Amino acid sequence: MIGILGWISFIIFFLLFTFLGFYGAKWRRGDLSKLHEWALAGRRLGAFLAWFLIGADVYTAYTFVAVPSGMFASGALYFYAVPYVATTFMVAMITMPRLWQWSREKGYVTAADMVEDRFKSKLLAGLVAITGIVAELPYIALQIVGMQAVLGVMLLGITSNVKLVSDIALTVSFIILAAFTFTSGLRGATLGAVLKDILIFISVISLIIIIPLKFGGFSSAFTEAQSFTSALSAKHITWLSTGITYLKPLPALEAGYTTLWIGSTFALFLYPHSINGSLSASGKKQLAISDAFLPIYGIGLALLALLGLLAYSDKAAMSLLSKFPLSSMGIYSIPALAVSSLPDWFAGVVLLGIFVGGLVPAAIMAIAQANLLTRNIIKPFKPEIKPETETRISKWASVIFKFIALGFVFIVPATYAIQLQLLGGIIILQTLPPVFLGLVTNKLNKYALMAGLISGMASGIYLVEVANKFGPLSTSLYHLGGYLIWIGILALAINLAVAIIFSLPKIIKK
Amino acid sequence: MQENAKKEGVFYKIFATILLIIPWIAYLWITTYDKAQPTLFGITFFYWYQTAWLVISSILYAIAAYLIYRGEKQ
């Protein structure tokens, strides 16, 4: 249980963070060039700072909450996040510099801009933009779940009514997120970002060093996890079904693991917010170098994932967790560990780190959505739109998108929050043919690409529903010929097949 | 002279591509690491081996980035 000191330090740092956010929005009007100079002082510092800042973006609610929760409830399968982080930056290294170059030469701001120019189709660009907006929704929902997890653990000290706790936590998280994006936007977040990154690194480092030391290793955690599972299986509840110490050596599951990381690898740098981040780099070479070093950050991710299992060896954390139902228990594992193993005031700081770790990425995603909406969907219809109108539309749109994202929170049992990110992945992967293949060739037919995107999206969503028997989402793997395959890969295969087959006449003619 | 430089450039690009692909092979070959032993600090092989490859991947990528962007300022 977190005491009064924890609340005080959480609130003080939160106020400091919001103050910097608002102050940043005003300060920016004065002189942005100063910030630029500071951030890019000297080339060496440029690459290093870019690495530091982009690296902090790796730590979102996905890392702090969703992956540990998946490990806590399902086991080794969700360690797929590690190979995913290792290879996704390789994909970034080979795709983003080219996109960066073209953006500089031709003034692209979004991937949809590139698609429009490349395939001479506003309609295809609009489809890519809509897909990007929709794909961000469940990802934002995941960030809301992460913020909820932090507040949930904190509120548990005040009332023990768990239903009430999680409702309040969700409502407050949602209001803070909506207010934050509405008032400050990306410009305001610039100053807050530095504090956010410092808070996040304090959280990551203290969690991955202090907690394992306190419990003296993992062997006991593995044993405790096993007995927890056995106790549940006596009640006919499946728990940690994908293996505790390693992936159950079923070829079916190994296929699931492999397709999960390969698919996620290609998905990340199709997301509008990742592309925005890459395009703001100071140079092609700096971009490639910082991408090259980013897998290092995955070490923190790997250790946080393992903390999801280490929670089992911490009696205090487990007694806190046992207050929540199994369907949402997992998301509280890291916040509970922070509360049980750190001094109160410091736990407050770490919890705030996890909290802004959800808040800031969600705001960045919302801004990427608004960008796409005004630039690639509204502008083609109303080219003469005024800048003030544009700002007003994007502000209100981001509030509406927030509400839709909130809807996604309810279709996934919180413990399986990682399914939200995987759902976003299935959707965004469908833009791979026009965006990534578009970087290599313009020989594909625009209508074939549209047909591919739509059939990929439709089949992906349908298969997710079938795999979950049209109920709450707790898996995104589909049984196919004795193998479990991530649906994102299946849908992408359908998409690619359609796009390429219907492009054949155009390819052959040339 | 120029032809040599061109050949050299191609050679570097091929070499960089190989470096970029190595981590993929390591992770795709799942049967080599889907097991518990040997453990490290009580952590099973499955977990620590994949974590170690994060570091190796970064080193390989960094060399590749250096080879690809050799001589370029931006």
Side-chain angles (χ1 to χ4, degrees):
Chain A
M1 234 59 32
I2 192 162
I4 187 78
L5 274 178
W7 274 95
I8 291 174
S9 65
F10 183 92
I11 289 169
I12 287 178
F13 277 96
F14 183 70
L15 289 177
L16 183 63
F17 171 78
T18 30
F19 169 75
L20 284 177
F22 284 116
Y23 184 68
K26 290 214 173 69
W27 176 68
R28 190 231 170 222
R29 225 172 287 148
D31 197 356
L32 180 73
S33 61
K34 274 189 186 146
L35 183 71
H36 256 287
E37 262 173 32
W38 171 79
L40 308 170
R43 273 209 300 132
R44 186 176 297 198
L45 200 61
F48 178 75
L49 254 174
W51 180 71
F52 177 83
L53 293 173
I54 301 174
D57 294 343
V58 172
Y59 294 101
T60 72
Y62 175 74
T63 327
F64 283 119
V65 171
V67 172
S69 181
M71 295 283 290
F72 180 85
S74 292
L77 179 66
Y78 292 105
F79 208 65
Y80 85 87
V82 171
Y84 150 51
V85 170
T87 50
T88 197
F89 293 109
M90 177 267 196
V91 172
M93 256 181 86
I94 56 175
T95 53
M96 291 299 119
R98 174 168 288 192
L99 189 60
W100 185 93
Q101 173 100 35
W102 290 3
S103 304
R104 278 296 139 105
E105 288 165 8
K106 298 174 183 169
Y108 305 150
V109 175
T110 63
D113 289 347
M114 186 277 280
V115 169
E116 177 183 338
D117 192 27
R118 193 75 164 146
F119 298 102
K120 304 285 171 256
S121 168
K122 283 190 173 145
L123 189 59
L124 180 59
L127 260 181
V128 168
I130 291 171
T131 312
I133 291 173
V134 174
E136 297 278 13
L137 293 170
Y139 213 168
I140 292 174
L142 171 63
Q143 311 301 328
I144 298 175
V145 172
M147 294 160 69
Q148 182 196 5
V150 169
L151 294 184
V153 161
M154 291 179 66
L155 286 169
L156 209 57
I158 296 174
T159 163
S160 52
N161 182 342
V162 171
K163 178 83 182 72
L164 186 69
V165 161
S166 62
D167 285 350
I168 295 177
L170 182 61
T171 314
V172 174
S173 303
F174 178 76
I175 292 170
I176 290 178
L177 174 62
F180 182 74
T181 25
F182 190 78
T183 51
S184 92
L186 189 62
R187 289 177 189 120
T190 329
L191 250 191
V194 179
L195 179 64
K196 165 223 151 202
D197 291 345
I198 294 170
L199 281 172
I200 283 179
F201 281 114
I202 290 175
S203 308
V204 172
I205 292 167
S206 51
L207 286 169
I208 65 182
I209 294 177
I210 296 173
I211 294 173
L213 282 180
K214 189 184 163 208
F215 300 106
F218 283 87
S219 333
S220 68
F222 292 142
T223 326
E224 295 287 336
Q226 187 55 58
S227 57
F228 188 86
T229 307
S230 309
L232 282 178
S233 76
K235 291 185 223 155
H236 302 287
I237 298 170
T238 335
W239 197 251
L240 284 167
S241 59
T242 64
I244 295 168
T245 52
Y246 61 102
L247 201 59
K248 276 200 181 159
L250 298 169
L253 212 52
E254 289 182 346
Y257 188 84
T258 306
T259 48
L260 273 171
W261 72 255
I262 294 180
S264 305
T265 286
F266 285 106
L268 183 63
F269 281 89
L270 289 166
Y271 275 110
H273 67 271
S274 311
I275 290 175
N276 269 2
S278 297
L279 293 187
S280 62
S282 60
K284 222 166 49 162
K285 188 179 182 179
Q286 284 87 332
L287 182 58
I289 291 174
S290 52
D291 280 336
F293 283 107
L294 280 166
I296 297 274
Y297 275 102
I299 297 171
L301 167 81
L303 293 170
L304 285 170
L306 285 172
L307 290 188
L309 287 173
L310 199 66
Y312 286 103
S313 69
D314 182 353
K315 297 248 154 37
M318 284 310 282
S319 84
L320 223 165
L321 288 174
S322 65
K323 296 198 167 73
F324 294 98
L326 288 174
S327 63
S328 69
M329 193 186 279
I331 58 166
Y332 301 100
S333 55
I334 298 281
L337 276 172
V339 170
S340 74
S341 33
L342 304 172
D344 253 7
W345 68 271
F346 191 55
V349 178
V350 169
L351 287 177
L352 182 64
I354 303 175
F355 189 78
V356 295
L359 177 62
V360 173
I364 291 174
M365 291 170 194
I367 288 153
Q369 284 181 317
N371 237 345
L372 284 172
L373 178 74
T374 47
R375 230 185 131 77
N376 303 102
I377 298 173
I378 295 177
K379 268 267 172 69
F381 291 108
K382 283 188 181 278
E384 71 289 345
I385 191 167
K386 284 192 200 124
E388 304 91 75
T389 327
E390 205 179 301
T391 315
R392 210 178 58 234
I393 292 175
S394 56
K395 273 196 161 188
W396 283 107
S398 81
V399 174
I400 295 165
F401 290 149
K402 278 307 136 42
F403 271 101
I404 305 175
L406 184 65
F408 278 91
V409 171
F410 298 105
I411 62 168
V412 171
T415 293
Y416 300 97
I418 197 163
Q419 298 305 332
L420 291 167
Q421 196 262 359
L422 291 171
L423 182 63
I426 293 168
I427 296 168
I428 201 66
L429 259 184
Q430 306 318 318
T431 62
L432 185 143
V435 178
F436 281 174
L437 293 186
L439 286 171
V440 192
T441 174
N442 59 359
K443 292 225 169 73
L444 296 167
N445 179 291
K446 58 185 178 184
Y447 297 109
L449 285 168
M450 289 179 218
L453 198 157
I454 291 166
S455 35
M457 179 93 87
S459 57
I461 290 168
Y462 177 71
L463 290 177
V464 167
E465 289 297 325
V466 172
N468 291 287
K469 302 187 179 69
F470 297 89
L473 309 188
S474 60
T475 181
S476 52
L477 298 177
Y478 187 78
H479 269 285
L480 191 74
Y483 291 98
L484 284 162
I485 310 284
W486 184 45
I487 290 161
I489 293 280
L490 291 174
L492 179 62
I494 293 169
N495 177 346
L496 279 171
V498 172
I500 291 171
I501 289 169
F502 287 103
S503 292
L504 282 178
K506 190 182 172 191
I507 298 170
I508 292 165
K509 212 164 71 183
K510 291 218 168 153
Chain B
M1 190 65 184
Q2 226 167 12
E3 199 139 291
N4 263 348
K6 219 180 191 179
K7 259 190 196 162
E8 218 173 76
V10 173
F11 170 76
Y12 281 132
K13 283 238 162 95
I14 293 171
F15 188 54
T17 311
I18 294 170
L19 293 179
L20 289 174
I21 290 171
I22 291 173
W24 283 80
I25 298 170
Y27 284 116
L28 279 170
W29 201 354
I30 189 166
T31 47
T32 58
Y33 61 84
D34 190 12
K35 54 191 173 190
Q37 299 295 335
T39 60
L40 182 73
F41 307 123
I43 302 172
T44 51
F45 189 70
F46 180 73
Y47 297 125
W48 73 256
Y49 176 82
Q50 294 190 72
T51 309
W53 264 96
L54 289 168
V55 181
I56 305 171
S57 303
S58 262
I59 296 169
L60 297 174
Y61 296 162
I63 300 170
Y66 175 77
L67 291 176
I68 296 169
Y69 293 97
R70 202 170 30 101
E72 283 182 45
K73 280 211 173 92
Q74 283 206 316

